[in-house]
Amino acid sequence: MASSSSSQKQNRELNAFSGIEPAGKRRMVSESSRLFDVFINHRGPDVKQTLATELYESLGQKGIQAFLDSQEKELGNSFPSTIETAIRYAKVHIAIFSKRYAESPWCLAELLLMLETKAKIIPVFYELEPWELRRIEKGIYADAFKKYEEKGRYLEKLNEWKEALQTLSFIAGVEFHSFKDYKIIVAAVEEEVKRKKCLHVAKYPVGLNDLVQDFERRCLDELVQDFENQCGLEKRKDKPNIVGIFGMGGVGKTTLTKELFNRKRSDYSRSCFLFDVREASVRSELPLLQRQLLKDLFDHKDPSLSFRNKEEGKSGLNDHLQRSHSLNFLIVVDDIDHVEQLDALLIMDILNKSNNSLIIVTTRDIGVVINAGITVGYPLKGMDRNHGWELFCWHAFDQPLPHSGYEGLIDQFVDVCRGLPLSLQVLGRLVRGRPHEYWELTLIKTREMLPRDVKQSLRISFDALEDEEKQVFMDIACFFCGQKRTYGRENIGGIRMER
């Protein structure tokens, strides 16, 4: 089910092209379509065979996928829908303002969508000055808008188009006069694309799209009453700007947040993904994460910058935060186990300074979410049986369905894994290409002893417990294993996870 805010946003995007393209040609934007790094907005007859094509080819040589309409028409796809998808997911937009640009309603409609996505826009002023976009009534585009009015065309959109042009006139751009200016454009695009390079999510993203939609519905669209009721929290009316994702190790918290980060980062001025915060804290490496925040959020480029301790890092972050203006951030703080880690990264200070930001925190402990004052949480549980089956098959067979004769064994493996993606991946790879007898032997061993990768992941949760909590855990575990109570306490220093 599509989320309400996503639907509203998509409706706004669809309205940008309504009345421009032929009736009956609309098709909803498909997220499975090919994605692009850059969208080149331009009027074809003016610059298609010159600047636009040169930019397209040069960016391609650098491994940057640019969208240029003459190159990207796909058989079987509605072309307006392809344009919308390219604009919606591009990391950078190039708007080439030529003398007759405003004569194209398509160019103006694209411009509106580009501004809505909040991705970086690089204005290129081709044979005109930026002030021409500010003085619509007397400037170079005055005749085009006058003709729209005289013919009664696009009247409901003219003011929006004029405002969009005026907005772009105040954004630092490139006045194109020579080849030197052309290289400036390519360099600026390359830097921005590198900064917003997508994270690798998963080799086989089984069920991930459904999971993202469920997360958005429950956490980003104000449908958060269940969590509030569980935690006794006061009902909120505003859109949440910090969300906690919690669940056991190996359940897929980092995978989900990487996908969310890739999809949403273009909606924010700056973005930062902080991996393995708990581990960094154990190694006294929080200053390195503070430096990463400073670089990603405030574009700090001094390679020699370093903090001797986390307090010095907090001071440096705070100095830049106080000087920032009207920025909105997307930040993922992955795998924390203590509220102090959020404090060291000034997460709440960032939210207070920029309430249009979104921060996602992942942890194994719901208590950390509640103690941090995070009022919206998402409990991540194991995969359902169908998705578990498919994920196991991908890793075991490189396809979503099993080879004949293995169905019963897969059922048993899925039962043993109980929906834990990490277990499904590890065991699928373990039996891949092996004979039937090896599968049966592995299944027997797995029931008695967890694979090493899974065991190490789960042990992190045990090591994070206080000594008294460890003793309680071992008492309960040994009770179910039939061991004496003293067995667990004698082995706390080296927990045995075979049973």
Side-chain angles (χ1 to χ4, degrees), residues 15 21 98 119 147 189 351 398 405 483-484 493:
N15 289 337
E21 62 175 295
S98 53
K147 288 180 181 178
V189 170
L351 282 180
D398 270 337
Q483 299 286 349
K484 293 182 179 180

Side-chain angles (χ1 to χ4, degrees), residues 188-254:
V189 170
E190 186 175 19
E191 180 180 355
E192 185 69 9
V193 168
K194 285 181 179 179
R195 193 173 71 83
K196 290 191 172 182
K197 187 176 182 180
C198 287
L199 302 172
H200 172 71
V201 177
K203 185 176 182 180
Y204 305 114
V206 176
L208 193 53
N209 192 57
D210 292 342
L211 190 59
V212 168
Q213 290 185 4
D214 185 66
F215 173 85
E216 291 179 334
R217 181 178 64 85
R218 291 174 179 269
C219 297
L220 301 186
D221 294 337
E222 304 170 38
L223 300 179
V224 295
Q225 291 83 359
D226 289 344
F227 182 76
E228 291 167 345
N229 290 335
Q230 292 172 17
C231 301
L233 300 171
E234 185 178 345
K235 293 290 184 294
R236 61 184 297 144
K237 296 180 181 179
D238 57 320
K239 188 174 181 178
N241 53 10
I242 181 166
V243 179
I245 299 177
F246 54 92
M248 68 184 297
V251 77
K253 299 183 295 296
T254 302

Side-chain angles (χ1 to χ4, degrees), residues 111-344:
L111 194 62
L112 283 182
L113 287 188
M114 289 158 59
L115 286 169
E116 285 184 7
T117 66
K118 300 179 182 178
K120 183 170 183 176
I121 301 177
I122 300 176
V124 178
F125 304 100
Y126 187 81
E127 298 180 347
L128 54 82
E129 302 296 328
W131 66 265
E132 297 275 9
L133 276 64
R134 298 172 201 161
R135 301 172 58 186
I136 301 296
E137 306 303 331
K138 297 181 181 180
I140 200 168
Y141 295 157
D143 287 344
F145 279 94
K146 186 177 180 180
K147 288 180 181 178
Y148 290 143
E149 292 173 356
E150 291 174 347
K151 295 181 179 180
R153 302 180 66 195
Y154 318 121
L155 297 181
E156 73 283 0
K157 297 182 178 294
L158 295 185
N159 286 335
E160 290 183 84
W161 289 349
K162 290 177 182 179
E163 290 176 5
L165 289 169
Q166 291 170 346
T167 298
L168 266 293
S169 72
F170 290 100
I171 296 177
V174 179
E175 296 183 37
F176 188 85
H177 299 293
S178 67
F179 184 74
K180 180 180 179 181
D181 300 322
Y182 163 78
K183 291 199 296 185
I184 292 174
I185 301 169
V186 174
V189 170
E190 186 175 19
E191 180 180 355
E192 185 69 9
V193 168
K194 285 181 179 179
R195 193 173 71 83
K196 290 191 172 182
K197 187 176 182 180
C198 287
L199 302 172
H200 172 71
V201 177
K203 185 176 182 180
Y204 305 114
V206 176
L208 193 53
N209 192 57
D210 292 342
L211 190 59
V212 168
Q213 290 185 4
D214 185 66
F215 173 85
E216 291 179 334
R217 181 178 64 85
R218 291 174 179 269
C219 297
L220 301 186
D221 294 337
E222 304 170 38
L223 300 179
V224 295
Q225 291 83 359
D226 289 344
F227 182 76
E228 291 167 345
N229 290 335
Q230 292 172 17
C231 301
L233 300 171
E234 185 178 345
K235 293 290 184 294
R236 61 184 297 144
K237 296 180 181 179
D238 57 320
K239 188 174 181 178
N241 53 10
I242 181 166
V243 179
I245 299 177
F246 54 92
M248 68 184 297
V251 77
K253 299 183 295 296
T254 302
T255 300
L256 171 59
T257 49
K258 285 192 293 185
E259 180 68 12
L260 288 166
F261 187 78
N262 287 343
R263 293 192 187 194
K264 295 185 174 297
R265 66 188 304 177
S266 62
D267 293 339
Y268 297 86
S269 303
R270 299 281 190 273
S271 58
C272 181
F273 197 116
L274 300 175
F275 288 94
D276 301 323
V277 176
R278 175 195 53 78
E279 187 66 26
S281 181
V282 170
R283 297 179 180 178
S284 300
E285 293 177 350
L286 282 178
L288 295 179
L289 298 184
Q290 292 169 324
R291 177 183 173 183
Q292 183 184 342
L293 264 180
L294 196 60
K295 177 178 179 294
D296 291 351
L297 300 189
F298 306 108
D299 208 21
H300 197 287
K301 298 180 180 179
D302 182 0
S304 64
L305 175 70
S306 63
F307 301 124
R308 289 170 294 184
N309 52 61
K310 65 181 181 181
E311 296 304 320
E312 189 176 283
K314 287 173 65 175
S315 178
L317 279 171
N318 186 63
D319 288 345
H320 282 77
L321 184 61
Q322 297 308 316
R323 296 198 297 267
S324 67
H325 301 287
S326 302
L327 293 176
N328 59 343
F329 306 120
L330 172 62
I331 305 172
V332 174
V333 187
D334 182 49
D335 192 19
I336 69 168
D337 63 355
H338 204 285
V339 176
E340 288 182 357
Q341 293 154 5
L342 294 179
D343 180 61

Side-chain angles (χ1 to χ4, degrees), residues 424-479:
L424 292 163
Q425 295 170 28
V426 170
L427 290 173
R429 290 194 297 262
L430 189 63
V431 298
R432 177 174 175 163
R434 301 284 189 163
H436 201 279
E437 294 76 12
Y438 185 86
W439 281 55
E440 294 175 338
L441 180 61
T442 300
L443 188 59
I444 294 172
K445 290 182 177 179
T446 300
R447 286 177 172 145
E448 297 179 353
M449 182 183 301
L450 293 172
R452 180 179 300 176
D453 291 349
V454 180
K455 187 187 302 184
Q456 289 175 343
S457 178
L458 297 179
R459 177 168 183 131
I460 292 172
S461 298
F462 176 81
D463 290 340
L465 299 174
E466 300 294 336
D467 287 344
E468 185 174 349
E469 293 172 324
K470 289 179 180 178
Q471 291 179 358
V472 172
F473 174 87
M474 292 302 300
D475 287 346
I476 295 173
C478 292
F479 171 79

